[in-house]
Amino acid sequence: MGTASTVILDGGMGRELQRRGAPFRQPEWSALALSEAPQAVEAVHAAYIDSGANVITSNSYAVVPFHIGEARFAQEAQALAALAGELARRAVKASGKPVRVAGSLPPLFGSYRPDLFLPERVSELLTPLVQGLAPHVDLWLAETQSSIVEAQAIHAGLPQDGKPFWLSFTLKDEDTDDVPRLRSGEPVAEAAEAAAQLGVQVLLFNCSQPEVIGAAIDAARATFERLGVAIQIGAYANAFPPQPKEATANDGLDPLRDDLDPPGYLQWAADWKARGASHLGGCCGIGPEHIAVLAERLTN
């Protein structure tokens, strides 16, 4: 594998909206601003682009019944997803920079909860998101995936549109053993094999503690080398303290770690780059000021 030049991703949306005073509460999380303050969503995208992000992610993560409720999802999911895509695209156009838009395809049944996966509902929940986002995005990003089966189901529900497929898993960051694992308990090496079978362009790890990401990058890289496939690797950690097993992501406003300020986060990202990761950004609690430091210090 040749060394790819570093691609800088954006950071978290929800915390940044909250920091800017946009409407933000549970359970709607970042979806609330789509309907109540779309200009704030566009402003956050613009801030990440200004900070040097080469890829920004649509604010469609919370457009699932888990966050907006079944009734509202049934009525508005596609329109909200379309708006999320449009706001990202608008920020890119206004910037005049060659930034790509990743269409965020979230865990359909709740973050960190592989136990809630319902295969029979995947199409019903995925289709409106895909149809709303499709006109506006350059690539598909299934993110914060806790299990291989859900990642496979999302991939199966995507249109044959030639757009790259990026896949990002969230890792077990408590009670860990020597084997890096998804939150389902499945080893990262198995997840990387599954990613290779799906033809992913980039395999990433996100919404986990920085401490567990390095070993996951190593496991993925070793798997890809063994398989002889050229799949790029990326990471975007969150700034939360460890999440207990029964936690659901975004079920409350967790405090953020003081040690993950921009210089502190840079040290982790530099280590991931040294291990072979070419796509680097941030998740919950990592803001434009962090991304600016990564863009300044880690791009070749």
Side-chain angles (χ1 to χ4, degrees):
M1 271 168 69
T3 52
S5 61
T6 303
V7 174
I8 300 295
L9 313 175
D10 60 3
M13 173 62 74
R15 293 301 178 123
E16 201 51 31
L17 286 168
Q18 185 197 24
R19 202 167 78 159
R20 289 162 181 260
F24 181 76
R25 61 166 187 254
Q26 290 299 17
E28 296 97 334
W29 200 248
S30 53
L32 191 62
L34 283 174
S35 42
E36 296 190 11
Q39 69 287 355
V41 175
E42 192 176 339
V44 173
H45 285 315
Y48 282 122
I49 295 170
D50 287 346
S51 294
N54 310 122
V55 179
I56 59 169
T57 304
S58 66
N59 183 33
S60 43
Y61 190 88
V63 183
V64 286
F66 186 89
H67 284 296
I68 63 173
E70 293 285 355
R72 188 162 177 219
F73 182 87
Q75 291 171 321
E76 297 178 52
Q78 186 169 334
L80 288 170
L83 179 58
E86 203 177 301
L87 293 168
R89 180 56 63 200
R90 211 183 286 169
V92 170
K93 275 197 181 128
S95 77
K97 294 178 178 172
V99 171
R100 286 177 291 167
V101 175
S104 170
L105 301 172
L108 300 172
F109 306 96
S111 306
Y112 299 2
R113 294 294 303 272
D115 55 310
L116 298 180
F117 178 67
L118 295 171
E120 65 277 10
R121 288 199 72 193
V122 168
S123 177
E124 169 201 351
L125 303 190
L126 182 64
T127 303
L129 296 183
V130 167
Q131 289 179 343
L133 289 167
H136 310 288
V137 305
D138 300 300
L139 61 101
W140 296 109
L141 170 62
E143 57 179 343
T144 322
Q145 297 297 312
S146 293
S147 68
I148 294 170
V149 68
E150 181 163 1
Q152 290 168 329
I154 288 178
H155 179 264
L158 287 178
Q160 300 293 305
D161 56 9
K163 290 178 182 174
F165 179 54
W166 292 14
L167 173 56
S168 192
F169 285 111
T170 179
L171 303 164
K172 196 171 173 185
D173 47 21
E174 289 220 305
D175 308 325
T176 50
D177 54 20
D178 291 340
V179 178
R181 297 179 185 277
L182 311 187
R183 291 187 192 269
S184 60
E186 295 165 296
V188 165
E190 280 178 29
E193 283 194 16
Q197 285 165 357
L198 294 177
V200 308
Q201 188 182 76
V202 187
L203 175 67
L204 306 103
F205 302 104
N206 80 299
C207 213
S208 313
Q209 303 263 300
E211 284 83 350
V212 296
I213 285 178
I217 291 171
D218 292 348
R221 209 180 91 201
T223 303
F224 295 153
E225 282 171 2
R226 179 170 55 76
L227 296 173
V229 292
I231 295 172
Q232 294 178 304
I233 298 172
Y236 51 116
N238 64 29
F240 293 154
Q243 298 297 296
K245 234 205 227 67
E246 61 279 7
T248 305
N250 310 346
D251 63 357
L253 279 174
D254 296 291
L256 300 177
R257 286 168 50 173
D258 296 333
D259 61 321
L260 294 179
D261 59 356
Y265 190 71
L266 171 66
Q267 291 183 310
W268 288 107
D271 174 62
W272 303 332
K273 181 177 176 175
R275 292 169 186 257
S278 57
H279 290 59
L280 299 166
C283 204
C284 315
I286 302 297
E289 65 285 1
H290 295 79
I291 299 306
V293 171
L294 300 195
E296 187 189 330
R297 303 291 295 277
L298 298 182
T299 46
N300 306 3

